[in-house]
């Protein structure tokens, strides 16, 4: 080995934290026979560019809670129906469990 004074170009990938301006439910696929909802969520920056997207599956006890009548987070909600705000509540619960 020897010392050198040469320079070379090297490409390096670095991770940075980017603020998310908003998040959106991009796609929702529901299968009542399988008691499952698959949701694609996208994170956007302040200019409307997609930073990242990922999938979440709502199944099991979370699916049954979402489809239940009048859960604690949605008084007056009919059974087997949900609103976007109800989906976000379950998605937030799933995120907290990870």
């Amino acid at each position: 080995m020897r010392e050198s004074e040469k320079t070379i170009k090297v490409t390096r990938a670095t991770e940075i934290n980017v603020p998310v301006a908003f998040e959106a439910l991009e796609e929702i696929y529901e299968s009542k026979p399988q008691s499952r909802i698959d949701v694609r969520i996208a994170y956007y920056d302040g200019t409307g560019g997609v930073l990242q997207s990922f999938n979440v599956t709502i199944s099991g006890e979370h699916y049954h809670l979402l489809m239940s009548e009048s859960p604690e987070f949605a008084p007056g909600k009919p059974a087997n129906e949900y609103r976007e705000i109800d989906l976000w509540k379950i998605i937030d619960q799933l995120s907290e469990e990870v």
Side-chain angles (χ1 to χ4, degrees), residues 56-98:
V56 172
T57 298
I58 299 170
S59 61
E61 65 185 55
H62 293 101
Y63 177 84
H64 295 295
L65 176 61
L66 178 65
M67 300 307 271
S68 67
E69 183 177 0
S70 299
E72 183 178 302
F73 61 87
K77 182 186 92 51
N80 296 317
E81 293 183 19
Y82 57 87
R83 303 163 295 179
E84 184 173 319
I85 193 167
D86 303 327
L87 280 173
W88 282 120
K89 180 66 176 176
I90 298 299
I91 290 165
D92 290 342
Q93 283 182 1
L94 287 165
S95 295
E96 290 173 5
E97 292 175 7
V98 174

Side-chain angles (χ1 to χ4, degrees), residues 19-67:
V20 174
F22 61 95
E23 52 191 339
L25 302 174
E26 296 288 302
E27 187 173 294
I28 301 167
Y29 172 75
E30 180 180 346
S31 174
K32 287 189 180 187
Q34 293 181 349
S35 300
R36 173 185 173 134
I37 299 174
D38 294 306
V39 182
R40 186 167 51 88
I41 300 168
Y43 290 147
Y44 289 85
D45 64 17
T47 65
V50 175
L51 296 168
Q52 186 179 61
S53 63
F54 62 97
N55 296 316
V56 172
T57 298
I58 299 170
S59 61
E61 65 185 55
H62 293 101
Y63 177 84
H64 295 295
L65 176 61
L66 178 65
M67 300 307 271

